[in-house]
Amino acid sequence: MSFDVTPDAYTRFMGVYSEPLAVRFVELLDLRPGQRVLDVGCGPGVLTAELAARVGAAGVVAIDPSPPFVEAARRRIPGAEVQEGSAEDLPFADGGFDLTVAQLVVHFMSDPVAGLAEMARVTRPGGLVAANVWDHAGISGPLTTFWRAVRDLDPQAIDESARPGTREGHLAELFVRAGLSDLHSGSITVTVGFDSFDEWWAPYEMGVGPAGSYVARLDERGRESLKHACRRYLPQPPFEIDATAWTVKARA
């Protein structure tokens, strides 16, 4: 899935959560200088930058279906190779990488099993394949409060809880179906602070992802009702949001 938004909008919407997540995620990956690493669905380069900091930019390849995101990642990590393409059809030879990763991408793949199988194909035998996905199906995802308020007003609204890998254990199931073994599953929780309700709310009006698309369809009265519903569920500012992502790593 390609996000038809600017890199800046995506960063303001999800970057506050994905940047600390990337720092924690790479700690699980046993990265070493000299390794060759692929970042699948790199977006504007949040995880790509963390990978490059640990193995060197020359060892990092990144790919994303969104041309603006590809350009943003190239600017952010000038020494890395960043190109346009999809997870389900990776333009790389078999076994060319020591590690292949996907942060907050599997649940947006058109075919997650095929995407993970492609990630395994381009990873050397014994190399590592790893991914994370927000807990959108539980009560601890970064968008939990938003979708809870939406359902109060619109019980038929389609949220992100049915997306692949978002419920506990499902990301591991997808790895198994893709032919991966020696799985290690877990979770990472990051905490993000907000000084005001408006700081928390403003990114939802930027049209990013399913949540942004939902807000964009509302008229002014609908937006105000949703803002009021969200405000009821949040503490008085300043406040913090805990966001949990499921993680899986496996051997190719």
Side-chain angles (χ1 to χ4, degrees):
M1 175 178 179
S2 178
F3 282 78
D4 188 21
V5 295
T6 67
D8 179 66
Y10 178 84
T11 298
R12 289 186 61 189
F13 179 73
M14 191 51 63
V16 294
Y17 303 102
S18 63
E19 291 192 5
L21 176 65
V23 173
R24 296 279 305 280
F25 187 46
V26 296
E27 294 172 354
L28 304 177
L29 304 180
D30 190 28
L31 291 165
R32 300 182 300 278
Q35 288 180 316
R36 184 167 165 80
V37 180
L38 173 63
D39 183 5
V40 175
C42 66
V46 171
L47 180 61
T48 319
E50 293 298 326
L51 297 169
R54 287 158 176 78
V55 306
V60 177
V61 179
I63 189 166
D64 195 273
S66 169
F69 285 2
V70 168
E71 289 304 315
R74 286 173 177 164
R75 290 192 299 269
R76 184 169 185 168
I77 314 99
E81 176 188 336
V82 187
Q83 59 182 278
E84 187 178 340
S86 69
E88 296 85 354
D89 187 21
L90 294 173
F92 308 112
D94 295 358
F97 299 94
D98 299 295
L99 169 69
T100 303
V101 296
Q103 170 158 298
L104 308 177
V105 173
V106 172
H107 56 313
F108 287 121
M109 292 180 182
S110 59
D111 186 338
V113 173
L116 289 168
E118 275 288 271
M119 290 172 64
R121 178 186 64 78
V122 302
T123 306
R124 64 170 176 81
L128 197 66
V129 177
N132 63 48
V133 173
W134 289 125
D135 175 32
H136 288 317
I139 60 172
S140 59
L143 309 183
T144 296
T145 297
F146 173 83
W147 286 116
R148 182 181 180 188
V150 167
R151 288 191 295 271
D152 284 350
L153 303 173
D154 182 5
Q156 303 305 313
I158 299 174
D159 59 18
E160 297 174 64
S161 61
R163 289 190 171 272
T166 62
R167 69 177 186 271
E168 185 172 8
H170 192 235
L171 184 58
E173 292 177 26
L174 295 173
F175 267 66
V176 172
R177 288 168 56 192
L180 288 146
S181 60
D182 191 19
L183 272 62
H184 296 272
S185 302
S187 65
I188 295 172
T189 299
V190 298
T191 301
V192 178
F194 296 89
D195 291 330
S196 67
F197 173 82
D198 287 341
E199 180 187 4
W200 177 88
W201 169 261
Y204 287 96
E205 296 194 350
M206 295 179 178
V208 182
S213 296
Y214 183 87
V215 173
R217 293 194 297 268
L218 299 174
D219 58 20
E220 184 175 354
R221 181 177 180 180
R223 290 191 188 192
E224 288 303 313
S225 295
L226 181 54
K227 287 174 66 174
H228 181 71
C230 288
R231 198 189 299 267
R232 290 201 311 266
Y233 285 124
L234 291 168
Q236 288 296 311
F239 56 83
E240 295 181 332
I241 299 292
D242 291 334
T244 297
W246 306 119
T247 66
V248 177
K249 57 181 182 179
R251 294 294 171 186

